[in-house]
Amino acid sequence: MGEDIRLKSAAGEIGAYLAKPAGTPKGGIVVIQEIFGVNQHIRKVTDFFASQGYIALAPRFFDHIKTGIELGYTPDTIAEGRGYVMTPGFTDKAVQDTDAAIKELKTRGARKVGVTGYCWGGTISWLAATRLKPDAVSGYYGGGIHGARNEKPTVPTQLHFGDKDMHIPMTHVNELRKLHPDVQIFDYPADHGFHCDERGSWDAAASKQAMARTLEFFGEHVG
């Protein structure tokens, strides 16, 4: 369903994975990668949004480091991916790339654009809500959101967390609830990465419920 395109960002030109719906798109969705790059799982999520009627785009942030980085889910690749995203200035580049992706989708016929992301991409989704102007944001288990908790979203935003996530304690989630009462914040009886069916922490019930909420949210705010 998808194809690779080039995306011109203020941070530099990178690749991106684009998936188109069968008919006229009802809106656009930017899909933000985990620390594992735009791998098979992220492409599958992007294709899913296209199957729901959206034109969807997943920027390949790791192209700033080296083209073709796609990682699996092992302790070694977790360490490798963390090293990439912790490179000084990399988060700012990712936000700039997200902005470019939003604009790209609008040039391709999306009147409104939502942003969603997973793991590290959940954090970038939060920063898109606070620093950019998408039409809505739905972020999943972003471990860096708490560090940027004092930034205020300026667009409709919802967040999803697992209450068994050792990386994101519920004290942090509840603090976000208090700081941002206008943000929809959901938690599930699940671990980190519960939406990824290639990880041992995948939780089918939590994944299904969270995605249903995401689609309803985007249906309201994006189309």
Side-chain angles (χ1 to χ4, degrees):
M1 184 181 293
E3 62 180 298
D4 288 315
I5 67 166
R6 302 302 294 171
L7 183 66
K8 293 182 178 179
S9 160
E13 186 173 317
I14 60 172
Y17 179 76
L18 178 72
K20 300 176 182 177
T24 301
K26 57 186 181 182
I29 304 294
V30 179
V31 179
I32 307 297
Q33 65 173 65
E34 305 164 300
I35 61 170
F36 307 101
V38 179
N39 58 10
Q40 175 178 284
H41 169 63
I42 294 298
R43 292 194 299 273
K44 185 164 61 175
V45 171
T46 308
D47 289 342
F48 171 77
F49 280 110
S51 76
Q52 300 301 302
Y54 296 99
I55 181 169
L57 185 63
R60 296 182 181 274
F61 298 147
F62 285 170
D63 279 7
H64 290 300
I65 297 168
K66 186 176 70 174
T67 58
I69 298 175
E70 294 186 23
L71 306 177
Y73 300 91
T74 69
D76 286 346
T77 56
I78 289 171
E80 182 180 350
R82 282 179 177 164
Y84 294 145
V85 301
M86 291 176 67
T87 302
F90 194 76
T91 293
D92 291 336
K93 288 183 177 181
V95 173
Q96 290 175 314
D97 294 342
T98 301
D99 191 36
I102 293 168
K103 293 173 180 175
E104 179 69 22
L105 288 175
K106 290 188 174 181
T107 69
R108 291 175 178 267
R111 189 172 62 87
K112 295 184 177 181
V113 177
V115 174
T116 190
Y118 308 87
C119 183
W120 177 73
T123 300
I124 300 303
S125 298
W126 173 258
L127 297 179
T130 65
R131 301 179 185 181
L132 304 176
K133 291 295 182 183
D135 292 282
V137 167
S138 180
Y140 287 62
Y141 35 82
I145 295 175
H146 186 258
R149 62 191 179 278
N150 291 322
E151 296 193 31
K152 184 175 176 60
T154 59
V155 302
T157 302
Q158 71 173 198
L159 301 174
H160 307 269
F161 297 98
D163 66 11
K164 300 177 184 177
D165 192 334
M166 299 300 292
H167 305 285
I168 308 172
M170 285 303 296
T171 52
H172 286 184
V173 175
N174 290 328
E175 186 177 355
L176 286 169
R177 284 189 168 109
K178 291 180 180 179
L179 286 170
H180 303 285
D182 293 337
V183 174
Q184 294 183 15
I185 300 180
F186 302 101
D187 59 80
Y188 307 82
D191 202 348
H192 188 79
F194 66 76
H195 186 61
C196 178
D197 60 5
E198 296 184 20
R199 302 176 76 158
S201 57
W202 177 58
D203 187 292
S207 174
K208 182 179 180 179
Q209 186 177 28
M211 183 52 71
R213 285 168 168 163
T214 295
L215 289 174
E216 181 181 7
F217 191 69
F218 284 154
E220 178 182 356
H221 297 289
V222 178

